[in-house]
Amino acid sequence: MTILRDLIIERIKNKGNIPFAEFMQMALYCPEYGYYNSNAVSIGKSGDFYTSPAVHRMFGELVAVQLEEMWRILGCAPFTVVEMGANAGWLCFDIMHYIKNEYPGFYKNIQYFIVESNPYLREKQQELFCGDPVFDEKLSWHSYGEDGFSFDAVQGCFLSNEFIDALPVHRLLVKEGEVKEIYVGYNGDDFYEIVGDVCNHALKDYCINAEVPLREGRALEINLAARDYLNHVAQKLNCGFVLTIDYGDTAQRLYRDNTTGGTLRCYYRHNVNQDYYERVGEQDITASVDFSFLMDVGKGVGLDATGLVKQSHYLIALGILEKLNNMRNDLETVLKVKNLFLPEGMGEVFKALIQHRNVKNPCLSSLKPLSALKPGT
């Protein structure tokens, strides 16, 4: 996108070389022209990538089961779901319809907030929900920025599915035994990368505290935007949970092998590439989520770690196999849904992290050992 490219070039000319995180922020979130704030976002078979809600409504139904359990743990009081980046709105649609049909008591107490920065996606969401009585007086849209959220404190659950992975990351590189940062410059023809001192001491602190093996040439990504997000969540969550579903792993597992490459990549029409400086504003740029970092940051702001499991574990514990058994004659659905939890699909790569605030020792079904589950539960 020429306009966005020119805007980034102008910033570099005015400021000098910028951290990659700043480049990524503009490429993804620049008003009107950034990938996530334009009409470029495309999800599904003809788009750039898949998300779990796009695979089958069963994903949203099982998230609804989880939310109802959280509501009961909080004493069946008024409960607000805050969904970050709702894409086309499928997850919200499936959750709310399931709650309305299966949990009338919960439905009476629920409010649903969608936090969406993309005006095109917000319009799609409003078209999806328009005229549907399930959402009457239950659904509203809100914003999130550097100053935090546009709503008052709530009790309930902050929900995100593939949100953290799309936040801008700082790219670090171990060079001659020191942690350096990758910056983006412009030479008159193309963007180029240059290594310099880290722009924020929190980046070096992370490397030390996470005990990441600092092998020469190792590249890694640090998501300080996720730190800021969780800090704002803690400010707005009086009591309740944070449910984060995304692809990634703990720091130990992300960096346990001998490879030195980072996890940053781009998605364009279901093809993966590392051409970060091509098709600016027209392709997704993403990095695997470091769940250790999320748990450490959460602990520091009053969000205790309830548990971290693979998406396969999460969905099986909530009853996906029983649901599939009831649809065993519908082979097309069975094949679609299996992508959500089989190892070769989304089941191993995606994780579900649950954190809680001001909830005493919550026991959630989704986090129980699968060996403890009884048939039919």
Side-chain angles (χ1 to χ4, degrees), residues 296-314:
D296 289 342
V297 169
K299 185 177 181 181
V301 296
L303 298 171
D304 296 317
T306 322
L308 172 69
V309 293
K310 296 175 181 177
Q311 181 165 294
S312 56
H313 180 125
Y314 183 77

PDB file of all heavy atoms in Angstrom, residues 296-314:
ATOM      1  N   ASP A 296       4.016 -14.090  33.732  1.00  0.00           N
ATOM      2  CA  ASP A 296       4.881 -13.269  34.583  1.00  0.00           C
ATOM      3  C   ASP A 296       4.351 -11.840  34.700  1.00  0.00           C
ATOM      4  O   ASP A 296       4.291 -11.274  35.796  1.00  0.00           O
ATOM      5  CB  ASP A 296       6.308 -13.246  34.022  1.00  0.00           C
ATOM      6  CG  ASP A 296       7.020 -14.569  34.185  1.00  0.00           C
ATOM      7  OD1 ASP A 296       6.559 -15.389  35.011  1.00  0.00           O
ATOM      8  OD2 ASP A 296       8.026 -14.799  33.497  1.00  0.00           O
ATOM      9  N   VAL A 297       3.961 -11.273  33.573  1.00  0.00           N
ATOM     10  CA  VAL A 297       3.395  -9.923  33.582  1.00  0.00           C
ATOM     11  C   VAL A 297       2.109  -9.899  34.388  1.00  0.00           C
ATOM     12  O   VAL A 297       1.880  -8.995  35.202  1.00  0.00           O
ATOM     13  CB  VAL A 297       3.135  -9.440  32.139  1.00  0.00           C
ATOM     14  CG1 VAL A 297       2.299  -8.162  32.146  1.00  0.00           C
ATOM     15  CG2 VAL A 297       4.454  -9.195  31.416  1.00  0.00           C
ATOM     16  N   GLY A 298       1.259 -10.898  34.170  1.00  0.00           N
ATOM     17  CA  GLY A 298       0.001 -10.965  34.896  1.00  0.00           C
ATOM     18  C   GLY A 298       0.202 -10.995  36.398  1.00  0.00           C
ATOM     19  O   GLY A 298      -0.482 -10.287  37.155  1.00  0.00           O
ATOM     20  N   LYS A 299       1.139 -11.799  36.836  1.00  0.00           N
ATOM     21  CA  LYS A 299       1.423 -11.897  38.270  1.00  0.00           C
ATOM     22  C   LYS A 299       1.794 -10.543  38.842  1.00  0.00           C
ATOM     23  O   LYS A 299       1.403 -10.196  39.963  1.00  0.00           O
ATOM     24  CB  LYS A 299       2.549 -12.905  38.496  1.00  0.00           C
ATOM     25  CG  LYS A 299       2.855 -13.175  39.963  1.00  0.00           C
ATOM     26  CD  LYS A 299       3.934 -14.241  40.105  1.00  0.00           C
ATOM     27  CE  LYS A 299       4.225 -14.518  41.578  1.00  0.00           C
ATOM     28  NZ  LYS A 299       5.294 -15.556  41.726  1.00  0.00           N
ATOM     29  N   GLY A 300       2.522  -9.751  38.066  1.00  0.00           N
ATOM     30  CA  GLY A 300       2.958  -8.446  38.534  1.00  0.00           C
ATOM     31  C   GLY A 300       1.853  -7.418  38.645  1.00  0.00           C
ATOM     32  O   GLY A 300       1.996  -6.421  39.360  1.00  0.00           O
ATOM     33  N   VAL A 301       0.726  -7.645  37.940  1.00  0.00           N
ATOM     34  CA  VAL A 301      -0.376  -6.671  37.980  1.00  0.00           C
ATOM     35  C   VAL A 301      -1.626  -7.238  38.658  1.00  0.00           C
ATOM     36  O   VAL A 301      -2.706  -6.651  38.572  1.00  0.00           O
ATOM     37  CB  VAL A 301      -0.720  -6.166  36.555  1.00  0.00           C
ATOM     38  CG1 VAL A 301       0.456  -5.415  35.960  1.00  0.00           C
ATOM     39  CG2 VAL A 301      -1.163  -7.307  35.647  1.00  0.00           C
ATOM     40  N   GLY A 302      -1.474  -8.378  39.334  1.00  0.00           N
ATOM     41  CA  GLY A 302      -2.596  -8.932  40.086  1.00  0.00           C
ATOM     42  C   GLY A 302      -3.461  -9.921  39.347  1.00  0.00           C
ATOM     43  O   GLY A 302      -4.586 -10.208  39.777  1.00  0.00           O
ATOM     44  N   LEU A 303      -2.939 -10.464  38.241  1.00  0.00           N
ATOM     45  CA  LEU A 303      -3.661 -11.506  37.509  1.00  0.00           C
ATOM     46  C   LEU A 303      -2.950 -12.836  37.759  1.00  0.00           C
ATOM     47  O   LEU A 303      -1.888 -13.097  37.206  1.00  0.00           O
ATOM     48  CB  LEU A 303      -3.688 -11.197  36.007  1.00  0.00           C
ATOM     49  CG  LEU A 303      -4.404  -9.913  35.574  1.00  0.00           C
ATOM     50  CD1 LEU A 303      -4.160  -9.635  34.096  1.00  0.00           C
ATOM     51  CD2 LEU A 303      -5.900 -10.009  35.859  1.00  0.00           C
ATOM     52  N   ASP A 304      -3.535 -13.657  38.589  1.00  0.00           N
ATOM     53  CA  ASP A 304      -2.922 -14.942  38.921  1.00  0.00           C
ATOM     54  C   ASP A 304      -3.156 -15.951  37.806  1.00  0.00           C
ATOM     55  O   ASP A 304      -4.211 -15.960  37.154  1.00  0.00           O
ATOM     56  CB  ASP A 304      -3.512 -15.489  40.224  1.00  0.00           C
ATOM     57  CG  ASP A 304      -3.195 -14.605  41.409  1.00  0.00           C
ATOM     58  OD1 ASP A 304      -2.036 -14.150  41.509  1.00  0.00           O
ATOM     59  OD2 ASP A 304      -4.106 -14.352  42.228  1.00  0.00           O
ATOM     60  N   ALA A 305      -2.186 -16.820  37.577  1.00  0.00           N
ATOM     61  CA  ALA A 305      -2.312 -17.848  36.545  1.00  0.00           C
ATOM     62  C   ALA A 305      -3.198 -18.978  37.051  1.00  0.00           C
ATOM     63  O   ALA A 305      -2.866 -19.654  38.023  1.00  0.00           O
ATOM     64  CB  ALA A 305      -0.941 -18.377  36.165  1.00  0.00           C
ATOM     65  N   THR A 306      -4.325 -19.180  36.402  1.00  0.00           N
ATOM     66  CA  THR A 306      -5.224 -20.283  36.744  1.00  0.00           C
ATOM     67  C   THR A 306      -4.733 -21.568  36.104  1.00  0.00           C
ATOM     68  O   THR A 306      -4.748 -22.634  36.731  1.00  0.00           O
ATOM     69  CB  THR A 306      -6.657 -19.988  36.248  1.00  0.00           C
ATOM     70  OG1 THR A 306      -6.955 -18.603  36.418  1.00  0.00           O
ATOM     71  CG2 THR A 306      -7.678 -20.826  37.012  1.00  0.00           C
ATOM     72  N   GLY A 307      -4.304 -21.480  34.844  1.00  0.00           N
ATOM     73  CA  GLY A 307      -3.774 -22.657  34.160  1.00  0.00           C
ATOM     74  C   GLY A 307      -3.516 -22.398  32.690  1.00  0.00           C
ATOM     75  O   GLY A 307      -4.107 -21.487  32.089  1.00  0.00           O
ATOM     76  N   LEU A 308      -2.626 -23.202  32.121  1.00  0.00           N
ATOM     77  CA  LEU A 308      -2.285 -23.134  30.702  1.00  0.00           C
ATOM     78  C   LEU A 308      -2.354 -24.541  30.128  1.00  0.00           C
ATOM     79  O   LEU A 308      -1.709 -25.455  30.646  1.00  0.00           O
ATOM     80  CB  LEU A 308      -0.871 -22.566  30.518  1.00  0.00           C
ATOM     81  CG  LEU A 308      -0.298 -22.602  29.087  1.00  0.00           C
ATOM     82  CD1 LEU A 308      -1.049 -21.628  28.184  1.00  0.00           C
ATOM     83  CD2 LEU A 308       1.198 -22.281  29.100  1.00  0.00           C
ATOM     84  N   VAL A 309      -3.143 -24.721  29.063  1.00  0.00           N
ATOM     85  CA  VAL A 309      -3.278 -26.031  28.430  1.00  0.00           C
ATOM     86  C   VAL A 309      -3.303 -25.875  26.920  1.00  0.00           C
ATOM     87  O   VAL A 309      -3.542 -24.790  26.389  1.00  0.00           O
ATOM     88  CB  VAL A 309      -4.569 -26.755  28.882  1.00  0.00           C
ATOM     89  CG1 VAL A 309      -4.513 -27.132  30.352  1.00  0.00           C
ATOM     90  CG2 VAL A 309      -5.810 -25.908  28.589  1.00  0.00           C
ATOM     91  N   LYS A 310      -3.060 -26.978  26.223  1.00  0.00           N
ATOM     92  CA  LYS A 310      -3.192 -26.981  24.770  1.00  0.00           C
ATOM     93  C   LYS A 310      -4.664 -26.825  24.401  1.00  0.00           C
ATOM     94  O   LYS A 310      -5.556 -27.206  25.172  1.00  0.00           O
ATOM     95  CB  LYS A 310      -2.652 -28.290  24.196  1.00  0.00           C
ATOM     96  CG  LYS A 310      -1.169 -28.500  24.431  1.00  0.00           C
ATOM     97  CD  LYS A 310      -0.739 -29.883  23.948  1.00  0.00           C
ATOM     98  CE  LYS A 310       0.744 -30.112  24.216  1.00  0.00           C
ATOM     99  NZ  LYS A 310       1.183 -31.472  23.814  1.00  0.00           N
ATOM    100  N   GLN A 311      -4.916 -26.296  23.207  1.00  0.00           N
ATOM    101  CA  GLN A 311      -6.301 -26.145  22.775  1.00  0.00           C
ATOM    102  C   GLN A 311      -7.003 -27.500  22.708  1.00  0.00           C
ATOM    103  O   GLN A 311      -8.205 -27.594  22.996  1.00  0.00           O
ATOM    104  CB  GLN A 311      -6.367 -25.448  21.417  1.00  0.00           C
ATOM    105  CG  GLN A 311      -7.792 -25.248  20.916  1.00  0.00           C
ATOM    106  CD  GLN A 311      -7.883 -24.266  19.776  1.00  0.00           C
ATOM    107  OE1 GLN A 311      -7.613 -23.084  19.932  1.00  0.00           O
ATOM    108  NE2 GLN A 311      -8.280 -24.746  18.595  1.00  0.00           N
ATOM    109  N   SER A 312      -6.276 -28.533  22.345  1.00  0.00           N
ATOM    110  CA  SER A 312      -6.875 -29.872  22.307  1.00  0.00           C
ATOM    111  C   SER A 312      -7.391 -30.255  23.687  1.00  0.00           C
ATOM    112  O   SER A 312      -8.532 -30.723  23.833  1.00  0.00           O
ATOM    113  CB  SER A 312      -5.847 -30.903  21.824  1.00  0.00           C
ATOM    114  OG  SER A 312      -4.682 -30.876  22.631  1.00  0.00           O
ATOM    115  N   HIS A 313      -6.568 -30.064  24.715  1.00  0.00           N
ATOM    116  CA  HIS A 313      -6.971 -30.365  26.096  1.00  0.00           C
ATOM    117  C   HIS A 313      -8.182 -29.518  26.478  1.00  0.00           C
ATOM    118  O   HIS A 313      -9.165 -30.029  27.039  1.00  0.00           O
ATOM    119  CB  HIS A 313      -5.785 -30.070  27.024  1.00  0.00           C
ATOM    120  CG  HIS A 313      -6.065 -30.334  28.479  1.00  0.00           C
ATOM    121  ND1 HIS A 313      -5.274 -31.165  29.238  1.00  0.00           N
ATOM    122  CD2 HIS A 313      -7.040 -29.887  29.319  1.00  0.00           C
ATOM    123  CE1 HIS A 313      -5.747 -31.211  30.475  1.00  0.00           C
ATOM    124  NE2 HIS A 313      -6.821 -30.436  30.541  1.00  0.00           N
ATOM    125  N   TYR A 314      -8.088 -28.236  26.181  1.00  0.00           N
ATOM    126  CA  TYR A 314      -9.140 -27.290  26.548  1.00  0.00           C
ATOM    127  C   TYR A 314     -10.497 -27.706  25.981  1.00  0.00           C
ATOM    128  O   TYR A 314     -11.506 -27.772  26.700  1.00  0.00           O
ATOM    129  CB  TYR A 314      -8.746 -25.907  26.041  1.00  0.00           C
ATOM    130  CG  TYR A 314      -9.704 -24.803  26.404  1.00  0.00           C
ATOM    131  CD1 TYR A 314      -9.722 -24.257  27.677  1.00  0.00           C
ATOM    132  CD2 TYR A 314     -10.601 -24.296  25.461  1.00  0.00           C
ATOM    133  CE1 TYR A 314     -10.597 -23.239  28.012  1.00  0.00           C
ATOM    134  CE2 TYR A 314     -11.483 -23.280  25.776  1.00  0.00           C
ATOM    135  CZ  TYR A 314     -11.469 -22.758  27.059  1.00  0.00           C
ATOM    136  OH  TYR A 314     -12.350 -21.756  27.390  1.00  0.00           O
TER     137      TYR A 314
END
